[in-house]
Amino acid sequence: MIALKKALLSFVDCSGGKVWFEIGDSPDFRVSEDGVIYALRRLSMAGKENAVVVVYAQDLQSKKVWKTRVHLHVRPNETEESINSSPVPEILFPWRSVVVRGDGTMKRVKRDWVIPPISVPENSRGQFPEDLVRIRSDRDKNRMLRYSVTGPGADQPPTGIFIINPISGQLSVTKPLDREHISNFHLRAHAVDLNGNQVENPIDIVINVIDQNDNRPEFTHTIFNGSVPEGSKPGSFVMTVTAVDKDDPKTANGMLRYKILSQNPQSPSSNMFTINNKTGDIITVAAGLDREKVTQYTLIIQATDMEGNPTYGLSNTATTIIRITDVNDNPPEFTTDTFFGEVHENRVNVIVANLTVTDKDQPHTPAWSAVYRIIAGDPTGRFSIPTDPTTNEGLLTVVKPVDFEQTRSFMLTVEAENEVALARGIHLPRQSTATVSVRILDINESPEFTPNPKLIKLEEGLPAGSMLTSFTAQDPDRFMRQIVRYSKMYDPAKWLEIDPVNGRISTIAILDRESPYVKNNLYNVTFMAYDNGVPPATGTGTLQIHLLDINDNAPHVFPSDVEMCERPDPNAINITASDPDLNPNAGPFVFELANRPSDIRRNWTLNRLSGEYAQLRLRIGSLASGIYDIPIMITDSGNLPMSNMSYLRVKVCQCDHHGDCVDMERIIAAGLGTGAIIAILICIIILLVLVLLFVMWMKRRDKERQAKQLLIDPEDDVRDNILKYDEEGGGEEDQDYDLSQLQQPDALEPECVKVGIRRMDERPLHHDHQYPLRSAAPHPGDIGDFIHEGLKAADNDPTAPPYDSLLVFDYEGSGSTAGSLSSLHSSSSCGDQDYDYLGDWGPRFRKLADLYGGGDD
């Protein structure tokens, strides 16, 4: 007897309507509304390996009926408790529906069927290949069919996992499956005849890989870091740890549970934190977190699958570090109740004392940094206390001068707080307040002038020796008996002096308001006062003298220089007066022409336009160019009026059509007289004469050089012929010939002299022979006569060098195809030369042949 409790077989309705299920003629089974088959009683399967159950499904709307057969296999040697929960069904081709007609008969119509997924556990250790399901067509009774499957896992990568018996249609798996690698496979089954013709439509087969607990949980981090403020209440959230499991999260294999294995340190309690076993959230469960005692906690967290089952579940651990963050729960406290300091009077920005505090909060945080303030003892704000950011000390500093003569000491009350407010419930203790005693030290202070500066008003023009005022200084050191003396430091005009004992100031020169040292009627003088202390102290004071104006300056015409055309249009000039004095000692002015010279009033008139201006007008129609000085008497309006004869310089010049003076006239008007202009012209003429003489001298020199040159008929000029034909190799480089250099060779052969055999580039050291000199006259005569005379002289000179031409002709070498002129024999040599070959060179050389070959005539 085998009890079949439940067959894990379900049906899927494609239409989405209500489906009614019914078991065929089998009283041992029933099917529920959701398509699950149950055994109604204990079954006797003796001698049987499987049982066949026929299931009908009818759509209540369309009245269509479908049928399938389920094969329940029983494995031997299995007890009631180990009935295979995955029966191997037989899948029929084609899936036919049964339609009930009106007369009660049924008609089978081909219709596609959705096959329930086949479940295969992963990591199976059974014998492979392992059968999964048999695929069969109801047409295999009439013909031979061949079955095949396609898809990933069959004929597509990964290939060979699933195979099918082509004859029986048995689908099998060939090796263990891994759900974490591939969780399901989608295959398609085919049925064809022996000719390869499709007999049935392909059907889809889904194979789901059933998960097993073969993967441990893995934390996302090896070490988790979190923080929580100190003093947090129980239930405060700290952080969340997370682990993942590659197994199916919908099964117990992938359902994780967390717990805390250990806590270090276990202070003040061993259970300061707890963890939500499902979410991994860590929260506080106890009070007493104090950063000053424990700065951080280390927790070991365990994650276990199988919903935390310690027996079957797999687990893993991770480390969690929880840092206790600081809050301002410790106020700063002074290290002593009273601090002491001292400072010299009149000093500022000087540190008097260093105030030290202690704070248990984390250093260099707002909860640790102290802020100092003076709450009593400094009503005038002479001190401040900035904070040293490194040491957190308070630097008591003087910011306003302190006078020893007024206050010899200060008693300050100082309070220290943090940059941020204290945590709730924490109050400042008594130790956060301290007293600072500051002693003021006396120094020798400088004498002080009072008032400084001192202003007095005086009329200008006071004579030297007049006493002006007393300017004294007081020594602020009341407790020191010291003597004060005075001296003058700055007196730019050197008008004043001061008595060194009593500070009386008197004049040593006349005060003048119009002096350039007086600005805005004020004259400033600086005096110094010094005591006899050790070291002496000095102080300065400024005396400001406001000078009142008197009528001590006569007016003068302004402008002092004007221009006017010879025929002015208009013929009037407006003038005014300038007076350094102030009103009423200045304008209005009175203008008047002088009586002398007499031509002034005859040529000019002066009319008053206003108290400040007058108009000078020319009486006659024109005036010759020149400079005219017009005397004008000007009188101011002072209480004692002052008059002055001032001269207006009028420059009369020729003007252009714009009424402006031309340049030459401007030069004359500027003071350049006729004599100066004549001197300039003479200099220019002398310079031109010198240039002309130099040019004439250069031309004469050129003519003399040309007269010295040899004048030869162009056809008789042998040198030109040589230059033209250029048959001598180097050619003549100098056209100034010195024919006196034609000489005989200095070495003669025993029988005859052969000219041109050798060359020497220096004169022989023998005695000079007398050769004819050519005249330097403009027409020295025939060149032929000169050459003939030189030839005879050379023939008679046994010491002459072996050349008869200028030294500029270089030796051509023995291989020259052209004959050298040096090879011409003298007419008096032992053998006569034949010059007829020169006639073949042209008419000019024919002339040369006639000269040398003509004999004595």
Side-chain angles (χ1 to χ4, degrees):
M1 297 295 291
I2 297 177
L4 182 62
K5 297 181 179 179
K6 177 179 180 182
L8 299 179
L9 182 66
S10 61
F11 301 89
V12 178
D13 178 30
C14 298
S15 62
K18 185 66 175 177
V19 178
W20 173 75
F21 297 98
E22 183 180 359
I23 296 294
D25 50 354
S26 177
D28 297 328
F29 301 95
R30 72 174 182 86
V31 60
S32 64
E33 292 181 357
D34 54 358
V36 180
I37 299 175
Y38 295 89
L40 297 177
R41 61 181 63 85
R42 298 177 68 87
L43 301 178
S44 176
M45 304 292 290
K48 297 182 180 179
E49 294 183 359
N50 61 74
V52 179
V53 179
V54 178
V55 180
Y56 294 92
Q58 183 180 14
D59 190 341
L60 298 181
Q61 294 182 358
S62 62
K63 304 300 183 180
K64 295 181 179 180
V65 179
W66 295 270
K67 181 184 73 171
T68 186
R69 284 183 292 178
V70 180
H71 293 260
L72 303 178
H73 290 267
V74 180
R75 295 177 181 175
N77 302 325
E78 289 186 351
T79 62
E80 293 182 359
E81 306 299 329
S82 60
I83 289 294
N84 185 3
S85 61
S86 299
V88 181
E90 180 182 76
I91 303 175
L92 295 178
F93 275 103
W95 318 115
R96 302 183 182 277
S97 62
V98 180
V99 179
V100 181
R101 297 177 178 177
D103 55 0
T105 61
M106 294 185 296
K107 179 182 179 180
R108 303 181 68 184
V109 181
K110 182 183 292 187
R111 178 179 176 86
D112 291 339
W113 181 263
V114 179
I115 305 302
I118 300 174
S119 298
V120 180
E122 66 172 334
N123 304 325
S124 176
R125 298 183 180 180
Q127 295 181 354
F128 294 98
E130 182 178 351
D131 296 341
L132 298 180
V133 69
R134 181 185 177 191
I135 300 174
R136 188 177 64 83
S137 173
D138 56 358
R139 295 185 180 181
D140 61 355
K141 298 177 182 179
N142 301 327
R143 67 179 95 175
M144 292 291 294
L145 301 180
R146 292 291 184 267
Y147 301 97
S148 63
V149 291
T150 59
D155 62 341
Q156 299 178 17
T159 59
I161 297 179
F162 300 98
I163 58 175
I164 189 170
N165 190 313
I167 298 177
S168 64
Q170 183 66 48
L171 180 66
S172 305
V173 61
T174 61
K175 60 182 178 180
L177 303 180
D178 185 0
R179 191 203 68 84
E180 287 73 37
H181 180 56
I182 301 177
S183 60
N184 54 66
F185 297 87
H186 293 266
L187 305 179
R188 173 161 286 196
H190 306 270
V192 298
D193 58 16
L194 296 180
N195 294 326
N197 298 321
Q198 179 176 311
V199 176
E200 302 286 356
N201 292 331
I203 61 173
D204 294 326
I205 302 176
V206 178
I207 300 176
N208 290 332
V209 183
I210 301 175
D211 183 46
Q212 292 186 352
N213 191 20
D214 58 344
N215 290 279
R216 289 182 179 274
E218 296 289 342
F219 283 94
T220 56
H221 298 86
T222 304
I223 298 177
F224 292 85
N225 292 281
S227 62
V228 62
E230 63 175 331
S232 297
K233 297 180 179 180
S236 301
F237 174 78
V238 180
M239 59 183 300
T240 300
V241 296
T242 305
V244 294
D245 197 316
K246 295 180 181 179
D247 292 328
D248 190 356
K250 297 180 181 179
T251 65
N253 299 332
M255 296 181 180
L256 306 182
R257 297 294 183 266
Y258 301 91
K259 72 174 182 178
I260 298 175
L261 295 182
S262 64
Q263 169 192 308
N264 184 38
Q266 298 181 0
S267 173
S269 170
S270 59
N271 296 316
M272 297 296 296
F273 305 93
T274 186
I275 188 170
N276 188 310
N277 64 346
K278 292 184 179 181
T279 63
D281 294 342
I282 299 177
I283 59 176
T284 60
V285 294
L289 294 176
D290 190 351
R291 190 205 64 84
E292 287 72 36
K293 295 180 179 179
V294 179
T295 59
Q296 69 179 26
Y297 290 88
T298 301
L299 307 180
I300 304 299
I301 308 299
Q302 183 185 63
T304 306
D305 58 16
M306 297 299 291
E307 298 181 299
N309 189 316
T311 302
Y312 303 104
L314 303 177
S315 61
N316 210 339
T317 60
T319 301
T320 300
I321 298 177
I322 301 176
R323 184 172 56 89
I324 308 302
T325 59
D326 187 37
V327 298
N328 193 16
D329 57 345
N330 293 280
E333 298 180 359
F334 285 101
T335 57
T336 182
D337 293 337
T338 304
F339 295 89
F340 298 92
E342 59 183 20
V343 63
H344 290 90
E345 63 175 334
N346 300 326
R347 299 286 181 86
V348 294
N349 299 324
V350 177
I351 297 177
V352 179
N354 289 28
L355 312 182
T356 57
V357 295
T358 59
D359 196 317
K360 298 179 182 179
D361 291 322
Q362 185 174 356
H364 305 291
T365 62
W368 174 81
S369 299
V371 178
Y372 301 87
R373 62 189 183 95
I374 301 173
I375 59 178
D378 185 24
T380 57
R382 299 182 181 273
F383 299 91
S384 69
I385 311 178
T387 303
D388 187 331
T390 303
T391 62
N392 208 26
E393 294 180 349
L395 308 178
L396 180 62
T397 307
V398 182
V399 294
K400 293 181 180 180
V402 180
D403 190 358
F404 172 82
E405 283 70 30
Q406 294 181 357
T407 306
R408 297 189 180 186
S409 65
F410 289 87
M411 190 65 66
L412 307 178
T413 302
V414 180
E415 183 181 68
E417 297 177 340
N418 291 122
E419 292 183 358
V420 295
L422 291 171
R424 182 178 300 178
I426 306 298
H427 302 283
L428 280 176
R430 182 187 60 81
Q431 292 80 3
S432 296
T433 303
T435 301
V436 182
S437 177
V438 180
R439 186 166 64 94
I440 309 302
L441 303 179
D442 189 20
I443 62 174
N444 185 21
E445 299 178 79
S446 302
E448 298 177 355
F449 285 92
T450 305
N452 190 15
K454 182 177 182 180
L455 177 65
I456 61 175
K457 292 185 179 182
L458 299 172
E459 283 189 352
E460 63 175 331
L462 285 179
S466 301
M467 206 284 287
L468 302 183
T469 185
S470 294
F471 196 22
T472 59
Q474 288 75 36
D475 192 344
D477 297 319
R478 294 177 297 174
F479 303 100
M480 300 181 183
R481 296 183 176 273
Q482 298 181 139
I483 300 175
V484 179
R485 292 292 182 263
Y486 305 94
S487 65
K488 184 175 64 174
M489 287 186 63
Y490 178 72
D491 182 13
K494 296 180 175 54
W495 287 343
L496 307 179
E497 65 179 359
I498 187 170
D499 190 298
V501 177
N502 54 31
R504 292 181 180 178
I505 299 174
S506 58
T507 63
I508 56 176
I510 297 176
L511 306 182
D512 185 8
R513 192 197 64 82
E514 289 75 31
S515 170
Y517 300 107
V518 178
K519 306 297 181 184
N520 298 325
N521 302 325
L522 289 178
Y523 180 69
N524 295 323
V525 185
T526 303
F527 298 96
M528 180 177 67
Y530 54 92
D531 59 23
N532 59 346
V534 180
T538 62
T540 60
T542 301
L543 177 65
Q544 292 182 335
I545 303 176
H546 186 102
L547 294 176
L548 303 177
D549 185 43
I550 62 175
N551 193 16
D552 57 346
N553 292 279
H556 59 274
V557 67
F558 182 83
S560 59
D561 297 276
V562 295
E563 290 182 354
M564 178 178 286
C565 297
E566 291 181 344
R567 298 181 180 275
D569 184 21
N571 62 351
I573 300 173
N574 292 337
I575 61 174
T576 184
S578 174
D579 194 333
D581 293 326
L582 301 177
N583 290 328
N585 296 321
F589 302 100
V590 176
F591 301 89
E592 184 180 2
L593 283 174
N595 296 324
R596 294 285 187 269
S598 59
D599 60 342
I600 296 299
R601 289 183 175 271
R602 184 172 59 252
N603 297 335
W604 305 90
T605 61
L606 185 64
N607 300 322
R608 184 172 183 272
L609 298 179
S610 65
E612 303 292 338
Y613 292 92
Q615 187 177 71
L616 181 66
R617 183 178 297 274
L618 186 63
R619 283 174 176 261
I620 57 180
S622 63
L623 197 63
S625 298
I627 299 175
Y628 300 88
D629 291 328
I630 311 300
I632 300 176
M633 178 67 70
I634 305 176
T635 305
D636 61 21
S637 299
N639 189 13
L640 294 177
M642 294 190 69
S643 300
N644 179 37
M645 182 66 72
S646 182
Y647 288 87
L648 175 65
R649 193 174 193 183
V650 181
K651 301 173 185 179
V652 180
C653 58
Q654 296 179 358
C655 298
D656 54 14
H657 62 283
H658 295 293
D660 299 326
C661 288
V662 297
D663 295 339
M664 186 57 68
E665 297 301 330
R666 287 180 179 271
I667 294 175
I668 297 176
L672 192 61
T674 305
I677 296 175
I678 294 175
I680 293 174
L681 293 177
I682 292 174
C683 292
I684 294 174
I685 293 173
I686 293 174
L687 181 62
L688 293 176
V689 170
L690 292 176
V691 173
L692 182 61
L693 292 176
F694 178 76
V695 172
M696 294 176 64
W697 178 77
M698 291 296 294
K699 288 185 177 182
R700 183 179 181 85
R701 183 182 177 186
D702 292 340
K703 289 181 180 181
E704 291 178 354
R705 287 184 178 180
Q706 294 176 3
K708 293 179 181 180
Q709 293 180 354
L710 180 63
L711 300 177
I712 305 176
D713 188 273
E715 293 185 358
D716 295 336
D717 192 352
V718 179
R719 294 169 297 168
D720 280 344
N721 294 337
I722 295 174
L723 287 174
K724 181 176 182 181
Y725 285 92
D726 198 14
E727 294 179 354
E728 287 296 320
E732 294 180 354
E733 298 177 359
D734 193 357
Q735 296 298 323
D736 293 335
Y737 298 99
D738 186 4
L739 297 180
S740 64
Q741 300 298 323
L742 294 175
Q743 299 178 4
Q744 291 286 349
D746 62 346
L748 299 176
E749 293 183 357
E751 298 181 357
C752 64
V753 179
K754 292 184 180 180
V755 182
I757 294 177
R758 63 187 179 90
R759 290 287 306 272
M760 294 182 64
D761 292 335
E762 60 182 1
R763 289 179 177 270
L765 301 177
H766 306 287
H767 66 277
D768 293 334
H769 191 72
Q770 296 298 325
Y771 286 88
L773 298 177
R774 188 167 181 263
S775 174
H779 302 283
D782 188 70
I783 186 63
D785 295 338
F786 173 75
I787 294 177
H788 183 69
E789 292 175 1
L791 180 61
K792 290 194 299 181
D795 290 341
N796 297 326
D797 185 9
T799 62
Y803 41 54
D804 53 7
S805 61
L806 295 177
L807 291 177
V808 296
F809 294 118
D810 292 336
Y811 177 58
E812 300 169 350
S814 60
S816 176
T817 58
S820 174
L821 292 178
S822 300
S823 64
L824 298 176
H825 287 87
S826 302
S827 62
S828 62
S829 63
C830 61
D832 294 333
Q833 297 187 28
D834 185 9
Y835 296 102
D836 294 338
Y837 68 91
L838 293 177
D840 298 335
W841 292 3
R844 296 187 178 183
F845 284 93
R846 191 178 299 115
K847 174 72 71 175
L848 184 62
D850 294 340
L851 291 176
Y852 281 88
D856 295 338
D857 55 352

